[in-house]
Amino acid sequence: MARAPVLPVLLCLAVLALAGGADARRKMVGVYELKRGDFSVKMTNWGATIMSILVPDSKGNLADVVLGKDTLAEYVTDNSAFGPLNGRVAQRMARSRFVLDGKVYHTYINDGRNSIHGGHRGFSKVIWTVKEYVAGDDSPYITLYYRSFDGEQGRKNDLDVYATYQLTGPYELSIRTNATALNKATPVNFLQHVYLNLGGEGSGDILGHTLQLSASRYTPMDEELLPSSGRVDPVAGTNYDFRTPTPIGARIRKVKGGKVYGYDINYVIDWEGMRKVAVARDGKSGRALELWANQPAIQLYTGNFLNHTQAKGGKLYEQYDGFCLETQAYPDAVNHPEFPSVTVRPGQVYKHDMLYKFSF
């Protein structure tokens, strides 16, 4: 197996200080490409962020199906969560607090009265160490590492985190993450926050995409997008039912994600283990995506808050120009003992695997 030299596109910066600490300042931020034929994925070790996925359509025309930015500097300053791995506790946490083993912990508030995606300096705002980068192979991959320290953003316990991104087959991107609690119990919930448009980023809205979810239940959200009731309700007979292929836009004006129209809702995935959780398709291009994962839940977000958002190539993204399929644990599970636990204890290993299978 040929091991490619790491030749990142370097970002020199004062911005490295954002990651904090002398060790972080000695790290370099780069862009790394995984390529297999005409299928390619570009990512950066800033926030373990997927920057682009290039996929052909039914006529062989290539397009980038991931929304994002043009430069590394823009990703560093971006607050739109274009493509990063979010953690240590992704999604919203009510009142930015939780109780673990009888002790109350407070985290950083960055979403109204609550925290979201790990606080203002979650995993999306740190420099990950490139442990291994193999480009010249049939299954190219990159493995990233981050040590989340005790007390970071109010979370307790040192946590060792690894994330491997690999092209495991024709038009297949595998993401394998794991985290080990080293000395104290801690809540853990990761998600990859990729905005997708199978027609190609910047090609318009995704309302005509069809979507099917392997989910017969969902967790109703309040206006703060928290599952405050703790209920898990059936989707049957509601506007949240995607058990059969349905255009995303078919009922989008009948639902609200908080105070705006659109989906920003958590579904409970049927069955357990590594299984197919979603299928999305764009009829115009012929591109389709199957998403497989081993997590209990998935958040559907339809880009409700995109609004003249600076995009690649000088374009602007508007509402519904992309959608996210975020496999995850139940949101705010730290404050809901009725939900499956997200606590990882010393010596235990958290694992979150995803597989993106594209076709055309």
Side-chain angles (χ1 to χ4, degrees), residues 126 236 267 304 320:
V126 299
Y267 289 86
N304 309 334
Y320 313 137

Side-chain angles (χ1 to χ4, degrees), residues 79-155:
N79 290 313
S80 302
F82 283 121
L85 183 67
N86 288 326
R88 173 184 306 191
V89 181
Q91 284 303 350
R92 290 170 177 84
M93 183 185 295
R95 309 303 176 263
S96 197
R97 65 179 292 282
F98 64 95
V99 178
L100 181 59
D101 294 337
K103 183 176 180 179
V104 178
Y105 295 92
H106 294 276
T107 64
Y108 191 94
I109 295 174
N110 65 330
D111 184 54
R113 300 184 294 173
N114 312 306
S115 64
I116 187 172
H117 297 329
H120 80 299
R121 186 183 170 272
F123 289 179
S124 62
K125 293 294 183 182
V126 299
I127 305 169
W128 293 61
T129 299
V130 179
K131 298 296 285 187
E132 199 166 16
Y133 174 46
V134 177
D137 191 76
D138 287 341
S139 297
Y141 68 90
I142 185 169
T143 297
L144 304 177
Y145 166 77
Y146 180 63
R147 164 68 64 86
S148 181
F149 57 85
D150 188 358
E152 184 179 33
Q153 295 292 287
R155 276 84 180 179

Side-chain angles (χ1 to χ4, degrees), residues 103-355:
K103 183 176 180 179
V104 178
Y105 295 92
H106 294 276
T107 64
Y108 191 94
I109 295 174
N110 65 330
D111 184 54
R113 300 184 294 173
N114 312 306
S115 64
I116 187 172
H117 297 329
H120 80 299
R121 186 183 170 272
F123 289 179
S124 62
K125 293 294 183 182
V126 299
I127 305 169
W128 293 61
T129 299
V130 179
K131 298 296 285 187
E132 199 166 16
Y133 174 46
V134 177
D137 191 76
D138 287 341
S139 297
Y141 68 90
I142 185 169
T143 297
L144 304 177
Y145 166 77
Y146 180 63
R147 164 68 64 86
S148 181
F149 57 85
D150 188 358
E152 184 179 33
Q153 295 292 287
R155 276 84 180 179
K156 296 302 176 183
N157 176 23
D158 292 317
L159 192 73
D160 271 351
V161 185
Y162 289 87
T164 297
Y165 300 78
Q166 185 171 18
L167 306 190
T168 51
Y171 308 105
E172 292 185 2
L173 169 63
S174 165
I175 304 173
R176 303 183 300 277
T177 68
N178 67 76
T180 303
L182 299 183
N183 40 39
K184 301 175 186 175
T186 183
V188 178
N189 180 31
F190 301 163
L191 66 82
Q192 195 81 44
H193 203 280
V194 181
Y195 283 83
L196 295 162
N197 185 324
L198 296 176
E201 64 83 26
S203 65
D205 65 55
I206 47 77
L207 300 180
H209 284 40
T210 59
L211 177 66
Q212 183 175 14
L213 299 176
S214 301
S216 56
R217 296 177 296 158
Y218 75 109
T219 54
M221 299 292 189
D222 61 23
E223 282 200 349
E224 293 182 283
L225 293 170
L226 288 163
S228 53
S229 69
R231 298 199 330 262
V232 178
D233 291 349
V235 299
T238 74
N239 294 313
Y240 298 102
D241 191 350
F242 283 94
R243 290 175 297 168
T244 59
T246 304
I248 291 175
R251 300 173 297 228
I252 202 165
R253 292 291 177 182
K254 297 180 180 179
V255 298
K256 281 192 173 182
K259 297 180 180 180
V260 299
Y261 288 106
Y263 292 94
D264 196 351
I265 191 74
N266 174 67
Y267 289 86
V268 177
I269 303 169
D270 297 335
W271 309 295
E272 296 180 352
M274 191 70 174
R275 73 283 200 208
K276 183 168 60 177
V277 300
V279 179
R281 184 179 304 276
D282 172 47
K284 292 181 180 179
S285 68
R287 293 188 188 93
L289 167 67
E290 277 189 12
L291 177 59
W292 294 60
N294 66 348
Q295 293 300 291
I298 184 170
Q299 189 91 1
L300 169 62
Y301 175 58
T302 49
N304 309 334
F305 291 101
L306 295 176
N307 181 20
H308 301 300
T309 306
Q310 192 64 45
K312 295 175 180 176
K315 300 186 294 290
L316 296 175
Y317 296 135
E318 304 296 348
Q319 190 179 48
Y320 313 137
D321 276 0
F323 69 105
C324 303
L325 296 170
E326 309 160 15
T327 55
Q328 59 185 9
Y330 287 41
D332 200 30
V334 291
N335 292 308
H336 287 274
E338 67 273 25
F339 291 167
S341 174
V342 293
T343 300
V344 177
R345 298 194 175 277
Q348 292 183 334
V349 179
Y350 163 91
K351 292 185 178 182
H352 184 171
D353 297 334
M354 296 157 267
L355 179 62

